[in-house]
Amino acid sequence: MASLRFALLVLWICHNGVHGQCLNKGFLCVMGVVNMTSDGGAKLRKTIDIEGEAIPIVIEKLIVSNTASGPFLQRIGAFTDGIMYRNYRDAVFQLPEGNTISDIDINGSGMMRSFVAGLNSNLKTLSIENGLLDRVPPTLAKMTILETLTINWCSLTGLRLDVLVENHKLISLDLSYNKIRQIFPVTSTPRKMLSILYLHLAANQLEILDVSMFAFMPSLERLIVSGNNIVRVEATTPVTFVNLTGFELEMNKISSMHLENLVLPKLITFNMDENALTEIPSLSGDSFPKLKRIGMSENALKHVDLSMFQSFAELEGIYFTHNQIESVRATTPFVLSKLVTLSFTNNRITSWNMSGCDFPNMYELMLNSNKLTTIPPVFQRYTNVRLSINANPIQCSSMTTFLSKITEKRLFVTTVSASQKCATSSSVTIDKNLAACCVA
């Protein structure tokens, strides 16, 4: 007896053989039910002949005799290069040997438990969402030209890297939004390095990240592990990723980093926001020679020694907002000739002394929402600097000394219109329309 296996199917009907060109065209909705046990094939062929060009076709209901994969894929392959299941209801998805479809997108509706592939030299893109898969398909190697694999919102608990080593065409691997707690390294040296450029492991449950495990992906350009439970990041053996420009670690629980063995010659931004760092990790400019921006906002830092960044000759921005920083200093005199922005907004800083720091091109110094009572004398030393110091308990005597800098728009403080009252105990007049809030 025929059964309804899924509620919505999209076919990329591309008889010119290039389904990517279809995606920018409109969708044609095939009326009612398409019954592949009787007239379904004829109805699809008639639709294609009428349209006369490549166009995505939406089938609202599809009736098949047994399963919406397996033999059905062999039949439908005569009509399409790509297929999208929006409500796949079987526990198993079968990709038969020799199938000609190049793009498969499956939404499993929380029912699909496994994906089984026969030998295939046509499939380039496979996407599986909202299923019960608990591992990367063990038959992955049989899809010999697979370039993109996405498995999201499933039940993966571990990633065994051995399963990837034969997929030499794989460029993008997205396993975000699963339950991966552990990554298992390759057990033997792969016969050939992988071509993976994009590795997305965000929103899982990883606790320890050893980036050396990915050494057999030397072309890696982007590694995303944000939104896990990572407490430690390390490189246990020397490893270099010559093309890596994105290394995203934010929104974890990182309290320690040991990256002495890691070299990232093209990394520009290193973002460690929203973690549990209590001290600045020991990093070297020799390992990150192109680094321009370092972010450690929303951590648990209390004391900062800026001289730790003296080896980063290309550094343009340092961001330490929303920490618990009480003191900032430089234990060793140093120069950062390209530094433009230094941000310590929303901390607990009571005094500011930049002795030993030479930032000749610093333009933005942000000290908003701290506990400073006097305005730091930075203007004479840094002739182009713009100092933001809103929401600090600045004494009125100090504010008065720097009124000209406010009118020159080089000093930004908490202000109110002349007719309003400050939340602080007093204010000083800037002009007939504006007053700067201060503490008497």
Side-chain angles (χ1 to χ4, degrees):
M1 177 181 294
S3 61
L4 180 64
R5 291 293 178 175
F6 48 91
L8 177 62
L9 178 71
V10 179
L11 305 179
W12 293 297
I13 303 297
C14 296
H15 38 278
N16 62 5
V18 186
H19 79 74
Q21 295 178 3
C22 295
L23 301 181
N24 294 324
K25 297 180 179 291
F27 282 82
L28 176 67
C29 191
V30 176
M31 60 182 178
V33 175
V34 172
N35 190 338
M36 294 303 292
T37 66
S38 57
D39 65 342
K43 184 177 288 188
L44 282 173
R45 175 56 63 192
K46 182 179 180 181
T47 301
I48 295 168
D49 291 342
I50 291 172
E51 288 301 314
E53 63 178 10
I55 186 168
I57 294 180
V58 177
I59 299 172
E60 292 181 330
K61 292 183 180 181
L62 183 72
I63 294 176
V64 292
S65 57
N66 293 305
T67 176
S69 64
F72 167 74
L73 283 179
Q74 301 297 71
R75 294 184 63 192
I76 206 72
F79 301 99
T80 182
D81 286 344
I83 185 167
M84 179 190 299
Y85 298 81
R86 288 299 97 202
N87 190 13
Y88 186 82
R89 295 178 181 174
D90 286 337
V92 178
F93 191 100
Q94 296 176 325
L95 179 64
E97 181 172 341
N99 189 262
T100 59
I101 295 174
S102 62
D103 192 326
I104 298 177
D105 186 338
I106 310 162
N107 186 308
S109 297
M111 297 182 184
M112 181 177 157
R113 292 182 177 274
S114 66
F115 180 97
V116 181
L119 188 63
N120 184 289
S121 59
N122 293 287
L123 190 69
K124 292 184 177 181
T125 301
L126 174 61
S127 178
I128 302 171
E129 296 180 5
N130 191 21
L132 297 175
L133 272 72
D134 61 0
R135 68 195 68 189
V136 174
T139 54
L140 189 66
K142 293 188 175 182
M143 295 174 278
T144 58
I145 68 165
L146 190 67
E147 296 176 357
T148 300
L149 175 62
T150 301
I151 304 176
N152 300 145
W153 302 106
C154 288
S155 300
L156 275 63
T157 57
L159 171 58
R160 296 187 179 277
L161 295 177
D162 276 338
V163 77
L164 304 174
V165 296
E166 296 301 322
N167 289 93
H168 300 127
K169 299 288 186 179
L170 193 63
I171 294 173
S172 175
L173 178 61
D174 183 350
L175 303 179
S176 58
Y177 295 95
N178 281 283
K179 301 175 182 178
I180 299 172
R181 298 186 181 90
Q182 190 172 1
I183 299 174
F184 299 91
V186 291
T187 54
S188 60
T189 303
R191 62 184 179 86
K192 186 177 180 180
M193 294 292 147
L194 293 192
S195 302
I196 291 178
L197 305 179
Y198 178 88
L199 180 57
H200 196 335
L201 297 171
N204 278 284
Q205 298 175 14
L206 293 169
E207 295 184 357
I208 296 174
L209 179 68
D210 182 358
V211 294
S212 299
M213 287 188 181
F214 308 125
F216 69 107
M217 307 176 188
S219 300
L220 202 61
E221 293 180 0
R222 195 172 180 196
L223 174 58
I224 304 173
V225 290
S226 52
N228 278 268
N229 297 321
I230 299 171
V231 297
R232 185 171 81 246
V233 181
E234 59 191 4
T236 53
T237 59
V239 60
T240 298
F241 296 105
V242 295
N243 296 317
L244 195 76
T245 57
F247 187 16
E248 300 179 27
L249 291 164
E250 65 269 26
M251 294 184 290
N252 279 288
K253 301 176 181 178
I254 299 169
S255 58
S256 66
M257 302 184 74
H258 303 282
L259 301 179
E260 296 83 1
N261 286 324
L262 178 63
V263 178
L264 304 177
K266 287 189 178 180
L267 190 69
I268 292 174
T269 299
F270 196 11
N271 186 356
M272 293 160 275
D273 293 351
E274 297 183 62
N275 277 288
L277 293 168
T278 57
E279 58 184 29
I280 299 174
S282 179
L283 302 172
S284 169
D286 294 333
S287 298
F288 306 88
K290 298 294 185 181
L291 198 66
K292 294 181 181 296
R293 291 175 291 275
I294 290 179
M296 297 186 201
S297 297
E298 296 187 59
N299 277 274
L301 299 170
K302 289 187 176 181
H303 305 283
V304 171
D305 181 357
L306 288 173
S307 59
M308 295 189 72
F309 301 114
Q310 60 184 306
S311 63
F312 293 90
E314 301 295 316
L315 203 58
E316 295 177 0
I318 301 174
Y319 303 88
F320 286 96
T321 64
H322 293 272
N323 276 278
Q324 303 166 28
I325 298 169
E326 299 171 356
S327 65
V328 181
R329 59 175 182 164
T331 54
T332 304
F334 71 106
V335 179
L336 287 179
S337 60
K338 295 186 178 182
L339 190 73
V340 174
T341 301
L342 189 58
S343 179
F344 283 88
T345 291
N346 222 312
N347 279 284
R348 302 175 181 177
I349 300 169
T350 57
S351 63
W352 184 263
N353 185 349
M354 295 179 67
S355 299
C357 300
D358 188 358
F359 308 145
N361 291 299
M362 185 168 65
Y363 183 79
E364 291 181 302
L365 176 56
M366 292 181 280
L367 300 173
N368 302 311
S369 299
N370 277 282
K371 298 182 180 300
L372 292 162
T373 57
T374 60
I375 296 172
V378 298
F379 298 104
Q380 185 174 358
R381 186 172 184 181
Y382 302 102
T383 55
N384 297 315
V385 74
R386 302 296 188 265
L387 172 61
S388 296
I389 201 165
N390 296 297
N392 278 269
I394 302 296
Q395 295 176 355
C396 293
S397 57
S398 179
M399 190 77 73
T400 301
T401 302
F402 291 94
L403 283 180
S404 64
K405 300 303 179 186
I406 299 175
T407 58
E408 292 170 7
K409 299 191 181 301
R410 294 188 59 199
L411 175 62
F412 299 90
V413 299
T414 304
T415 59
V416 296
S417 66
S419 61
Q420 291 179 312
K421 186 176 181 179
C422 287
T424 56
S425 60
S426 189
S427 64
V428 296
T429 300
I430 299 174
D431 56 39
K432 64 179 182 180
N433 298 314
L434 200 63
C437 299
C438 56
V439 177

